[in-house]
Amino acid sequence: MLIEKLCKEQNLTDDEFRTLLETDRYDDALREAADAVRREHYGTDVYLRGLIEFTNFCKNDCLYCGIRRSNKCASRYRLTEEDIMACCKEGYGLGYRTFVLQGGEDPYFTDERVCQIVREIRTRYPDCAITLSIGEKSRESYQAFFDAGANRYLLRHETADPTLYSRLHPAELSLENRIRCLYDLKDIGYQVGAGMMVGCPGQTTDHLIRDLRFLQELKPDMIGIGPFIPHKDTPFKDEQRGDLYLVLRLLGILRLMFPWVLLPATTALGTIHPQGRELGLKMGANVIMPNLSPVSVRKKYMLYDDKICTGEESAQCVDCLERRVTSVGYQIVSGRGDVKR
Ligand code: SAH
């Protein structure tokens, strides 16, 4: 009855969420319910987001992340505006109508430079959504990017627990500022994506319940979750990766809590299991974010070990994904794939 209640009320008590998260007893029922809700709101459609990883320079030092400032082994790169435009051109030809510019927090990309790139994409591809994922900025910067033509912003909250947050991040970063950013972005008019890393060091079920409560307050348009995966050149190199089934359970729960939400089957999920993304789609996920970055830099944007899809050309990725998505009964659709609230 837990699943029926969650379907009906889009909510449960903390104790009920704990039960759902900590046993595998409900997995089949959860998958059936999540898939039914997803079909009701989005049919069998799967939306693509072309991910352009345009810089791996970062001024931050997040303990889990492979491109953290202190990782001296990382080979750093930045794409030029021409490189980025070439990625968009390739992506547009392959049917992508959303471009996601993601990167480390790289001071080289000043507001002026980011706005210039956004304006250029906006002019050339007026029918596409432009998503930024470049970390914490001032409200003024977010406004400037929005005015230049950006529509969406991905900024995972990572964890909604301030103590755990401070164990994962250097002292100069705070959960408070991350949350300030998310509300500023919403207020400006962006479609916003938040989300947490599942199974990061020190995380308990109670932390995850806190994440669910935070998401209930924020009501983001998109929720990106994936397993934590250690990176060999970070302080967390010897930590356990996040559990596949826990991520899947959370996807199902999120689909039932937020029937209209955009829910990606993430690359990290595909990294911990060969069919991870397919399993995610069956649990209510409806978005995939293939890599559009030039193959020459893909291995350098290593947030965690063994990241998949770092060798293929973009066109090959589309073929492979097409097969994977149809194998579980869904279909890739071209188009911006806006949220259906
Ligand atoms: N600088 C941007 C983009 C960060 S990379 C920002 O601050 O938002 C995108 C996401 O990758 C992060 O939000 C984090 O949730 C995830 N990530 C980073 N390192 C990871 C790891 N070791 N395992 C799993 N996910 C990771």
Side-chain angles (χ1 to χ4, degrees), residues 58 60 62-67 102-105 133-136 153-158 178 195-198 224 226-231 234 236 268 301-305:
C58 193
N60 289 335
C62 306
L63 277 78
Y64 46 84
C65 185
I67 63 169
Q102 189 180 86
E105 290 194 23
S133 179
I134 53 176
E136 298 176 26
Y153 206 100
L154 304 183
L155 186 79
R156 291 189 178 175
H157 65 282
E158 315 295 2
R178 196 100 180 152
M196 57 279 190
M197 240 179 330
V198 180
F228 158 76
I229 304 172
H231 184 291
T234 64
F236 289 162
Y301 198 80
M302 272 300 165
L303 306 178
Y304 45 80
D305 289 338

Side-chain angles (χ1 to χ4, degrees), residues 229-243:
I229 304 172
H231 184 291
K232 62 181 188 342
D233 303 313
T234 64
F236 289 162
K237 62 178 188 308
D238 295 322
E239 301 288 340
Q240 290 276 323
R241 45 170 61 177
D243 178 64

Side-chain angles (χ1 to χ4, degrees), residues 26-84:
Y26 301 96
D27 288 359
D28 292 336
L30 186 59
R31 187 176 53 252
E32 279 163 35
D35 188 55
V37 168
R38 163 259 174 58
R39 282 172 196 262
E40 192 183 312
H41 289 262
Y42 288 98
T44 53
D45 292 357
V46 173
Y47 303 126
L48 295 185
R49 316 301 195 202
L51 188 61
I52 304 169
E53 301 157 333
F54 70 101
T55 174
N56 72 350
F57 282 88
C58 193
K59 68 177 166 71
N60 289 335
D61 217 15
C62 306
L63 277 78
Y64 46 84
C65 185
I67 63 169
R68 67 200 298 264
R69 177 183 71 217
S70 319
N71 181 8
K72 301 290 180 254
C73 303
S75 148
R76 306 285 171 172
Y77 74 91
R78 281 184 188 111
L79 299 186
T80 64
E81 189 180 326
E82 292 69 46
D83 295 332
I84 296 171

